[in-house]
Every structure is written in C-alpha cells, then in structure tokens.
Amino acid sequence: MERNGKNQNSALSAIARHERELLAKREETEREAERIVAEARTEARRIIDSEGERLANDTAAIRREGDAARERERLEQQRQADERLARLRAEAQTRAQAVVGAVVSLILPSSTGGSR
C-alpha cells in the first residue's frame, strides 16, 4: 500500500508540475501575443502615417497640376483676347481712315479737273 501511496503522490506531483508548466506556457504565449499585437499596432500606425503623407503629397501634386493647367488656360484665353483686340483695333483704324477720307472728300473739292 505504501508503494501505492507513493505512486499516487508521484502522479499528483507530476500532474501538478505539468499544470504549472502549462500555466507558464500560457502566460508566455499571452505575453508573446500581446507583443505581436503591439508590434502590429505600431506597424499599422506607421503605415497609416506613411500613406497619409503620401496622400497629402499626391493631393498637393494634383492641385499644382490643376493650378498650372488653369494658368495655361488663362494665358491662352488672354492671348486670344489680345489677338482679337488687335484685329478690332486694326479694323477700327481702317474704318476711321475711310471715314476721314470720305469726310475730306465731301469738304474739299476734287483736285482732278482743269477749271480755275
């Protein structure tokens, strides 16, 4: 019997030791899981920050491109308006000269003819 009691104590000790080992492994696994989660959160934050910066840079580039395109369009419209204004001025000057010529011909007698 005594041997049976020693075997039971030995078995209980082994079970208790095994349970302590399992609890230690569980705690170690939980710490490792917490470390992995913390690293994942840090990496996620880094990615979010990086992508946020990239998005801000891309947005700024798109805005600059849009500003440049608007400026090119504005300059083209201004050039076209200047050309039109120059044409209208030339036409107005030609018409003014024709009107001056017509008025002068009405006021001054014709210089063709031989009467004195």
Side-chain angles (χ1 to χ4, degrees):
M1 285 259 203
E2 190 176 308
R3 188 168 177 98
N4 193 16
K6 283 186 178 180
N7 285 340
Q8 285 180 348
N9 283 340
S10 176
L12 287 176
S13 292
I15 291 172
R17 188 173 49 253
H18 183 67
E19 285 180 349
R20 283 191 301 271
E21 289 172 0
L22 289 175
L23 288 173
K25 285 182 181 179
R26 179 178 155 207
E27 288 174 3
E28 182 181 330
T29 302
E30 286 176 352
R31 282 192 303 271
E32 180 67 12
E34 288 172 359
R35 185 190 64 76
I36 290 170
V37 168
E39 286 178 2
R41 285 183 178 147
T42 301
E43 180 66 10
R45 175 54 51 200
R46 186 195 64 75
I47 291 169
I48 288 169
D49 291 345
S50 173
E51 289 302 307
E53 184 177 331
R54 187 184 64 77
L55 179 61
N57 290 339
D58 290 350
T59 302
I62 290 168
R63 285 184 178 148
R64 283 190 304 273
E65 290 171 12
D67 290 344
R70 280 189 297 281
E71 181 63 13
R72 286 191 302 272
E73 179 65 23
R74 185 190 69 77
L75 290 173
E76 177 60 21
Q77 289 178 358
Q78 183 177 0
R79 185 192 63 76
Q80 290 175 1
D82 289 344
E83 286 178 358
R84 184 168 181 243
L85 179 61
R87 279 194 315 272
L88 291 174
R89 280 185 181 158
E91 289 174 11
Q93 189 175 16
T94 301
R95 287 183 187 156
Q97 288 173 354
V99 169
V100 167
V103 169
V104 168
S105 69
L106 289 174
I107 296 174
L108 296 178
S110 174
S111 60
T112 62
S115 62
R116 275 196 169 194

